[in-house]
Amino acid sequence: KHASNGSYAFFRTQGNDSLDSIEYLIQQSWSDGYGGVTGVSADALGQYADIPGVPQGGGGEQGFWEHNSILNHGIGGYLIFGDGFGKSTVYQEGAYRECLITGWLTAIFEEPSIVQVLENEKFDPFWYPLVGNWTWDNAYNPMPGIEKQWDVANLSIIHSAGWYDIFGNYQMLTALSVNKTAQINAVGNQILVIDPGGHCAEGGEIRWKNATFGAKQMDIYAPKLFKGAVEAKMANKVFVAQDYIPYNVLFY
C-alpha cells in the first residue's frame, strides 16, 4: 500500500508493512479472508514481530491487542531461520558479538540499527514496544524462560531452525513460547524443525550432511498445514496440527 503508518525500526516495527498488507488483502472481493505468514531470515524476523500485534505508531502506545482482529485472519505460518527474541539475538548470552551482529546488520543494509541496539544494551522497553503499559509482569509469563508476548497469537506455525545458526537457540525458544502461551489454535500446534546447519548450511565452510533435510520435508507439509487450518476455520472447528503433520519437533 506504500503508506504504512508509524516509524520503522528493525526488530521492533518492521511488521507494520505486513499488517497493512494483511488488512488490504482480506478486504478484496476475491479473498476468502484467510492467509498465512512466511519468511526467511530478516523476513522471518518481521513475521515474528507481526504475530504479537505491532501497534501502528511503533511506540507501544496502544498496547499489543490493537491488531488482534487482523491477526486472527492469519491461520498458518512457515518461518525459516528467525526468532522473536530481539534483545537475546543481538546480545547472545549477554554479550554483543561485534563480528557476527555488526557484520550481519551491515550486510542487510540495517546499519542504523547498530547504533540503536548499542544505545540500548540495558534491557529496557526499547525491546518491547509491543506492550503499551510495559512492565516486567506483562512482558513475561511466570514460567521461567518463557515469554508472554505471544498472548494474541492464534495460528499454527512451522518454525524451521538450525543448530549452527545465528537464530538457532532463540528460534527454538520462540516456538516453545508460542506453543505454551498463545491462543487456542496456536497452543500445542507449533511445529519445530531443527536441521544441522542454518543460513549457510549448503554453501558455508562446513558441509553438513543432510543439511536442510528437515526444511525440505516441511516444503511438503506446509501446504497441507495451511489447507487444514483454512478448512478448520471455515468449519468453525479447533485446528489440530497433528492431523496433518505427525510431529511436534523434528530433529535431523
Side-chain angles (χ1 to χ4, degrees):
K1 292 172 65 178
H2 310 290
S4 293
N5 299 320
S7 57
Y8 173 81
F10 195 55
F11 294 115
R12 300 165 68 224
T13 64
Q14 71 264 43
N16 285 347
D17 287 343
S18 295
L19 288 168
D20 280 351
S21 298
I22 294 170
E23 185 177 21
Y24 171 78
L25 291 170
I26 63 180
Q27 292 173 351
Q28 302 310 300
S29 59
W30 42 261
S31 172
D32 62 9
Y34 305 117
V37 296
T38 189
V40 181
S41 192
D43 292 330
L45 294 180
Q47 304 311 315
Y48 279 122
D50 292 342
I51 295 166
V54 183
Q56 290 286 352
E61 61 274 9
Q62 297 185 54
F64 67 9
W65 282 90
E66 179 184 357
H67 294 291
N68 195 30
S69 60
I70 297 176
L71 290 165
N72 271 322
H73 287 271
I75 45 74
Y78 184 18
L79 303 179
I80 305 171
F81 303 148
D83 67 58
F85 285 69
K87 174 65 163 59
S88 298
T89 299
V90 175
Y91 290 94
Q92 297 198 12
E93 302 301 325
Y96 183 79
R97 310 301 174 91
E98 179 75 28
C99 180
L100 179 66
I101 304 302
T102 296
W104 165 53
L105 292 174
T106 300
I108 62 173
F109 309 104
E110 288 289 349
E111 291 94 334
S113 299
I114 299 172
V115 177
Q116 286 186 312
V117 298
L118 290 176
E119 288 177 345
N120 290 274
E121 180 175 358
K122 179 182 177 182
F123 190 82
D124 59 32
F126 170 85
W127 299 102
Y128 281 90
L130 306 179
V131 184
N133 55 335
W134 193 94
T135 69
W136 287 103
D137 289 335
N138 64 23
Y140 280 95
N141 189 279
M143 290 181 286
I146 300 297
E147 296 199 20
K148 191 181 177 183
Q149 69 186 62
W150 290 279
D151 273 0
V152 301
N154 199 28
L155 68 166
S156 180
I157 303 170
I158 297 172
H159 310 261
S160 187
W163 285 116
Y164 196 72
D165 188 74
I166 182 175
F167 304 116
N169 187 45
Y170 298 107
Q171 185 169 20
M172 298 174 206
L173 290 174
T174 299
L176 295 174
S177 299
V178 179
N179 206 49
K180 286 180 176 288
T181 67
Q183 293 187 45
I184 188 169
N185 288 316
V187 169
N189 281 323
Q190 306 304 303
I191 306 299
L192 175 60
V193 183
I194 308 171
D195 278 315
H199 275 75
C200 303
E202 296 183 337
E205 295 181 5
I206 302 175
R207 300 291 177 171
W208 301 99
K209 184 178 181 180
N210 296 324
T212 57
F213 178 79
K216 289 175 180 177
Q217 292 298 303
M218 290 305 100
D219 288 343
I220 299 171
Y221 280 114
K224 298 179 181 180
L225 187 80
F226 278 92
K227 183 175 184 292
V230 170
E231 290 174 348
K233 195 83 171 181
M234 295 181 72
N236 198 30
K237 294 181 179 180
V238 175
F239 176 67
V240 180
Q242 287 72 31
D243 290 344
Y244 303 91
I245 303 179
Y247 317 99
N248 272 107
V249 180
L250 306 180
F251 294 93
Y252 289 101

